Amino acid sequence: IINASTAFSRLAKTHLRVSTAAGHEEETLRTLLKRCKNLLRSNTNQLEPRHLSSILWAVGKMRLIRVDGLEEETARVLETIANLVLERRRNTVFGAQEISNLFWASAKICGDAKRRDGNSCVDEAIIRMQEPLQRMFATSNFRNEWTTQGISNVCWSLAKITMVRMVWIVDEESDLNKSIANAVEMGTSGPPTKRFNAQEFANIAWAMAKFNEAAQDDNNGREVLVNKMAHDLKNMLISETIKGRFESRHVANTFLAFAKVSQCAEDSKFLFKLKTLTRSVLKNMNVHELSMVMVGVGLINDSNSIDNEDDEDDELAFETCQFFTRSIASYT
């Protein structure tokens, strides 16, 4: 099982594009999937959490569920891993990196299955893993065990999965809302080495907006979570303690996310900071990113009941439209 998980990881890290691979390469993967399934079922004494996470991460990274001819073997491996995660969650310690990888792979696989008009076996396997994974995450020691990248991956993954199927554990044993809030607070106000970088910040903001959309139908405490996430993220942006440099895609995602959760109109200091950041990268944005900002400006204007004498929103909208028009013109 060690060799099989290592082989999968190395294949994934070479970014093998199996969707366009030659027939013999697909046959190699099919053989490896079969071997992996048999080893997972028969070598339970040697099996460790890192083997499960490595294999699932590789399946998600290589997007095997989208490859014609590999769906059946891939689904069987996923079912086996889901069963093992459920069996071992009580008596086996999964590390933060392993939990993060399992979440990330689950989200990628779930999204790929949806694009192929769904796969009931794959969906069920991924969904069955969510309860144990969420409970593992909820009982973690975030300050000692987790990196900001790991927290960002989990939030992004939870948001992706809730777009397909709602699974959200809140009970006396595990409160996912509280766990996410605590993890995000660590990444926004912890020691400098434990704070989000620009990519992670944008991922968390995007997840916040998706959590807010899901809360419309089934609240389960997520409205409080969204408000807490927004509060911590806004303070971090205002204080300029985010690591790294914001790229245009980070800004576009962040701007639209905050506009969607109506967290801009009543906070002039944050809104000024967000607009300033957005203006600084407008010239670098592509058409898609510019369209996201335009939608965000419209949402902010709709939620702002107080007239803006300085017309700052109109100015940002005008500048964005100018860049958008130029970008469109460049294609003709």
Side-chain angles (χ1 to χ4, degrees):
I1 191 63
I2 297 174
N3 292 336
S5 64
T6 300
F8 259 123
S9 294
R10 288 179 178 173
L11 279 173
K13 289 174 181 177
T14 61
H15 302 290
L16 176 67
R17 297 185 61 84
V18 294
S19 58
T20 57
H24 70 279
E25 292 173 329
E26 289 191 19
E27 187 58 37
T28 298
L29 281 166
R30 185 178 295 104
T31 301
L32 186 56
L33 284 165
K34 289 180 181 179
R35 178 65 175 158
C36 198
K37 174 197 65 180
N38 293 333
L39 288 170
L40 286 169
R41 292 175 176 176
S42 61
N43 287 261
T44 55
N45 292 334
Q46 298 178 0
L47 193 62
E48 297 178 15
R50 61 190 175 93
H51 302 141
L52 298 176
S53 67
S54 292
I55 294 168
L56 197 69
W57 176 86
V59 170
K61 180 73 172 178
M62 292 189 286
R63 316 192 84 163
L64 297 187
I65 205 64
R66 299 180 67 179
V67 181
D68 293 332
L70 295 180
E71 308 99 310
E72 184 177 347
E73 291 301 332
T74 302
R76 288 175 179 172
V77 169
L78 296 181
E79 289 174 338
T80 304
I81 291 176
N83 291 335
L84 288 166
V85 170
L86 283 164
E87 290 171 7
R88 291 167 175 259
R89 71 182 182 91
R90 296 285 186 184
N91 55 14
T92 303
V93 177
F94 284 72
Q97 184 65 57
E98 293 147 2
I99 297 170
S100 174
N101 284 349
L102 288 167
F103 264 118
W104 182 89
S106 295
K108 295 291 288 185
I109 294 166
C110 204
D112 284 342
K114 183 181 179 182
R115 290 187 182 94
R116 288 185 66 99
D117 299 322
N119 184 312
S120 59
C121 293
V122 171
D123 287 344
E124 289 303 320
I126 295 299
I127 295 306
R128 280 192 295 123
M129 275 191 285
Q130 295 314 298
E131 179 179 352
L133 286 178
Q134 290 181 17
R135 293 192 186 281
M136 291 175 198
F137 176 73
T139 56
S140 298
N141 184 327
F142 298 112
R143 292 194 179 275
N144 293 334
E145 299 175 10
W146 283 81
T147 64
T148 52
Q149 182 182 4
I151 293 170
S152 171
N153 284 344
V154 169
C155 289
W156 178 87
S157 301
L158 283 167
K160 292 285 285 187
I161 292 170
T162 56
M163 293 166 63
V164 178
R165 180 97 66 89
M166 177 55 67
V167 181
W168 201 270
I169 304 300
V170 177
D171 56 27
E172 293 183 0
E173 180 184 350
S174 306
D175 187 336
L176 188 60
N177 292 325
K178 183 177 180 181
S179 301
I180 294 173
N182 290 341
V184 172
E185 182 178 4
M186 185 205 79
T188 55
S189 60
T193 57
K194 285 273 189 177
R195 293 188 183 182
F196 297 126
N197 62 30
Q199 175 67 70
E200 295 159 356
F201 184 94
N203 284 349
I204 297 288
W206 180 86
M208 171 189 68
K210 293 301 177 183
F211 295 159
N212 186 64
E213 291 175 12
Q216 307 300 320
D217 300 321
D218 180 18
N219 196 313
N220 205 14
R222 278 188 299 281
E223 184 177 354
V224 175
L225 168 63
V226 169
N227 289 335
K228 179 66 167 64
M229 291 176 71
H231 174 270
D232 291 343
L233 291 172
K234 287 195 291 186
N235 285 343
M236 188 181 195
L237 188 66
I238 292 171
S239 64
E240 298 184 352
T241 55
I242 300 167
K243 294 190 297 183
R245 182 178 179 181
F246 272 100
E247 297 179 13
S248 58
R249 57 195 171 91
H250 305 148
V251 176
N253 277 320
T254 300
F255 191 94
L256 183 57
F258 276 100
K260 283 184 173 181
V261 298
S262 303
Q263 289 284 344
C264 297
E266 297 180 359
D267 193 333
S268 58
K269 189 174 183 180
F270 168 73
L271 185 56
F272 175 78
K273 192 71 178 178
L274 186 60
K275 287 178 180 177
T276 302
L277 177 62
T278 304
R279 282 196 177 102
S280 70
V281 296
L282 273 180
K283 64 181 181 298
N284 301 325
M285 287 187 176
N286 59 34
V287 171
H288 177 64
E289 293 160 353
L290 290 166
S291 69
M292 293 170 69
V293 174
M294 292 169 69
V295 171
V297 170
L299 291 172
I300 292 171
N301 284 339
D302 288 343
S303 64
N304 191 354
S305 58
I306 302 174
D307 290 335
N308 190 341
E309 296 179 358
D310 294 331
D311 293 326
E312 290 182 358
D313 292 326
D314 290 339
E315 290 179 11
L316 179 57
F318 178 73
E319 291 176 31
T320 307
C321 285
Q322 280 189 315
F323 282 108
F324 184 85
T325 302
R326 293 171 189 169
S327 296
I328 291 293
S330 68
Y331 291 111
T332 61

